[in-house]
Amino acid sequence: AIVDRIRSELSAETKLPPPEGARPLAGKRAVVTAGPTHEPIDPVRYIANRSSGRQGFAIAEALAALGADVTLVAGPVTLPAPRNVRRIDVESAREMRQAVEDALPADIAVMVAAVADWRVAEEAPTKLKKDGASLPPLTLAENPDILAELSMHDRRPRLVVGFAAETDNVVDHASAKLARKGCDWIVANDVSGDVMGGADNRVHLVTAGGVEDWPDLPKSEVARRLADRIAKECA
Amino acid sequence: AIVDRIRSELSAETKLPPPEGARPLAGKRAVVTAGPTHEPIDPVRYIANRSSGRQGFAIAEALAALGADVTLVAGPVTLPAPRNVRRIDVESAREMRQAVEDALPADIAVMVAAVADWRVAEEAPTKLKKDGASLPPLTLAENPDILAELSMHDRRPRLVVGFAAETDNVVDHASAKLARKGCDWIVANDVSGDVMGGADNRVHLVTAGGVEDWPDLPKSEVARRLADRIAKECA
C-alpha cells in the first residue's frame, strides 16, 4: 500500500497537469514560425537575414507552458527546441509556407519568422563563377506572403498574429501592415537599435483596438506577456 | 626546497613547450581566414554562404599545435576559438581584407574563408520595403580578392595557400585559380556532395608540382596533414 501510495504521488508529480487555471490554452492548437529564411542563389550562396529565432522560440515555449499543442516551424537557426513543442525545420520561405499549411487546422497562429520578401528568381544549379568584369544579374522574385495567405485561408486560425521588424516609423508601418495583411494583431519590433539577434525586444502591440507600447523586455518576458494576452483572447 | 621543486615541476608541465621536434613552426607567424563573409543588403538582410568555418578553425589549431604564432581572421560563425590562437572576428569581405593586412608580416597565409565574390553595391540605410510589384534592383559590385592581393603584396608571406570550393571540374578550376591568383598552393574542396558545413572534406592539393588527391577525411585530419606539409615546406 505504501508502494502504491508512493507510485501514485510520483505519478501525480510527473504525469498530471498543473491546476486547470495555469493551462488556459489546453486543447488549443498553435502554429508558430521563427527565425530567418535562407533563399538560395546557387549551391553555396544564399540571401539571409539577422533573425536569431529567439523571440519565436520563446513564444512557442510560452504557449506550450500554457497548455497549447504547439507546432514550431523554424528557419535555419542554432537554437535547441523548446520542451513540449513539435519542431519542423525549414530553409526557404516556400518550405515554411508548406509547413504552416501542414500544421492546419490551428486555433492560434503567431508568425514571428523574418520571412524573406524576395527569393532569387532562378537558383543556379552550380556555383556561380566570377567571370572578369561581368556580374551575374541577381533577379529577384517575390516570395509567398505567409501571413497574408494565412489571414485569408479557408482554414484561418481564430487568432492570427504577425510580427513586423522595423527600423523607422515602427508603429505606422505596423498599423499599415495589420490592415494590409488582414491579421488580428501585429507585434511591432523596433530593430533600429540593432535589437535583432539581441536578448531584449522593445515591441508595440498593434490591434484593431489601438496600440500598446511595451517597455524594453527580455524576449522570454515578451513571450510570456503575449501568451497571456493570447490566452485571454481565446478564453 | 621541496616546495620549490614542486613549483619547478609544475612550471615545467604547464609552461615549457613540448620537445623541439614537435614544434617545427615555432617562431613562424601564420594568418588563417575562416568562415563565410556576410555582405549587407540593408540593416537586416545580407548575402551569405554555407561555409561553417570548421576547416579553417581546424587549420588554425593544427598550425598552432606545431608551434606557429597564429592569427585567425574569422567571418561570422558560431565556433569557439581554438586554443593558443589570436582570433579576429569580421563580417564583410572588406573587413576581412583589413584584418589580414593588419596581421602582416607573416610567414604563412592559409586563406580558407569563403569570401563573397560580390557585395551589394549600395547598402540601404533602412530596411527595404516590399512595394507592390516593383522589386529592388540588387546591383552587385566585385569584392576585393584577398588571396590575389596577398599573393602580390609587398609583404607577401613566403607561403600563400588558397582554398577553392567547387561543385564541378574541381581540379581544373583549382589549377586555373592557382595560376590566376599567384598563390603557391590551392586546396581544392569538392563540395558537390554538399560537404560544406559537414564534418568531412575531400580535397585535392594543387601545387606547381602537380595534384595530390587526398581521400575523404575528417576536417581535423585534413588540417593536420596540411599543417605537416606546411611545416616541411617552411623548414
Side-chain angles (χ1 to χ4, degrees):
Chain A
I2 284 176
V3 169
D4 281 349
R5 170 110 182 254
I6 290 171
R7 198 173 275 155
S8 155
E9 290 196 355
L10 280 174
S11 164
E13 265 187 27
T14 57
K15 296 270 183 62
L16 291 182
E20 188 57 31
R23 293 172 60 82
L25 292 174
K28 304 286 187 193
R29 285 170 57 96
V31 54
V32 178
T33 62
T37 63
H38 286 181
E39 306 297 329
I41 297 173
D42 67 17
V44 297
R45 301 182 179 92
Y46 56 91
I47 297 179
N49 68 65
R50 298 187 193 284
S51 170
S52 68
R54 283 200 252 170
Q55 185 62 79
F57 274 56
I59 289 167
E61 186 169 22
L63 290 171
L66 296 186
D69 173 8
V70 179
T71 298
L72 171 61
V73 180
V77 294
T78 53
L79 299 171
R83 286 192 311 163
N84 302 319
V85 159
R86 187 182 311 108
R87 174 178 181 164
I88 312 289
D89 287 308
V90 299
E91 179 149 325
S92 69
R94 285 167 295 170
E95 289 167 9
M96 186 169 278
R97 171 171 63 171
Q98 185 61 53
V100 169
E101 175 83 26
D102 293 345
L104 298 182
D107 304 286
I108 300 152
V110 190
M111 304 286 96
V112 193
V115 181
D117 290 320
W118 301 285
R119 66 175 182 275
V120 177
E122 293 189 43
E123 181 183 346
T126 59
K127 190 183 171 195
L128 294 171
K129 310 296 289 178
K130 195 159 61 170
D131 185 16
S134 75
L135 297 173
L138 211 53
T139 310
L140 301 178
E142 207 156 317
N143 260 331
D145 187 329
I146 299 174
L147 179 59
E149 287 184 7
L150 194 62
S151 298
M152 298 184 298
H153 202 281
D154 54 8
R155 287 183 292 170
R156 185 193 197 277
R158 167 164 160 16
L159 182 67
V160 177
V161 183
F163 265 65
E166 303 288 351
T167 51
D168 57 308
N169 297 324
V170 177
V171 169
D172 286 352
H173 279 144
S175 302
K177 185 168 180 175
L178 180 75
R180 199 169 64 243
K181 305 286 187 178
C183 59
D184 300 299
W185 300 351
I186 289 280
V187 180
N189 192 358
D190 184 344
V191 297
S192 61
D194 200 11
V195 175
M196 218 165 190
D200 287 8
N201 262 348
R202 175 181 302 180
V203 307
H204 311 268
L205 180 62
V206 180
T207 71
V211 178
E212 285 175 30
D213 302 315
W214 293 7
D216 261 29
L217 292 170
K219 289 181 176 178
S220 56
E221 186 55 29
V222 170
R224 270 190 293 269
R225 285 191 184 207
L226 185 65
D228 284 342
R229 287 292 306 262
I230 289 171
K232 279 198 194 93
E233 187 72 16
C234 294
Chain B
I2 284 175
V3 169
D4 282 350
R5 170 110 182 254
I6 289 172
R7 200 174 273 154
S8 156
E9 290 197 353
L10 279 174
S11 165
E13 266 186 25
T14 57
K15 296 270 182 61
L16 291 183
E20 189 57 30
R23 294 171 59 82
L25 292 175
K28 304 287 187 194
R29 287 170 56 95
V31 54
V32 178
T33 62
T37 64
H38 286 180
E39 306 298 328
I41 298 172
D42 67 18
V44 297
R45 301 181 179 93
Y46 57 92
I47 296 178
N49 67 65
R50 297 188 194 285
S51 170
S52 68
R54 284 199 250 171
Q55 185 63 79
F57 274 55
I59 289 166
E61 186 168 23
L63 290 170
L66 297 186
D69 173 8
V70 179
T71 297
L72 170 61
V73 180
V77 294
T78 54
L79 299 171
R83 285 192 310 164
N84 302 321
V85 159
R86 188 182 311 106
R87 174 179 181 164
I88 312 289
D89 287 307
V90 299
E91 178 149 325
S92 68
R94 285 167 294 169
E95 290 168 9
M96 187 169 276
R97 171 171 62 172
Q98 186 60 54
V100 169
E101 175 82 26
D102 293 346
L104 299 181
D107 304 285
I108 300 151
V110 189
M111 304 286 97
V112 194
V115 181
D117 290 319
W118 300 284
R119 67 175 181 275
V120 177
E122 292 190 44
E123 181 184 345
T126 59
K127 190 184 170 194
L128 294 172
K129 310 297 291 180
K130 194 157 64 169
D131 186 16
S134 75
L135 297 173
L138 211 53
T139 309
L140 301 178
E142 208 156 316
N143 260 331
D145 188 329
I146 299 174
L147 179 59
E149 286 183 8
L150 194 63
S151 299
M152 298 184 297
H153 202 280
D154 56 6
R155 287 183 292 170
R156 185 194 198 279
R158 167 167 162 13
L159 181 67
V160 177
V161 182
F163 265 66
E166 302 288 352
T167 51
D168 57 309
N169 298 323
V170 175
V171 169
D172 286 352
H173 279 145
S175 302
K177 186 169 180 175
L178 180 75
R180 200 169 62 242
K181 305 286 187 179
C183 58
D184 300 299
W185 301 351
I186 288 280
V187 180
N189 191 358
D190 183 344
V191 296
S192 61
D194 200 12
V195 175
M196 220 168 188
D200 287 8
N201 262 349
R202 176 181 302 180
V203 307
H204 311 267
L205 181 62
V206 180
T207 73
V211 178
E212 287 176 29
D213 303 315
W214 293 7
D216 261 29
L217 293 170
K219 290 180 175 177
S220 56
E221 185 56 28
V222 170
R224 270 191 292 270
R225 285 190 183 207
L226 185 66
D228 283 342
R229 287 293 305 262
I230 289 171
K232 280 199 194 94
E233 186 71 16
C234 295

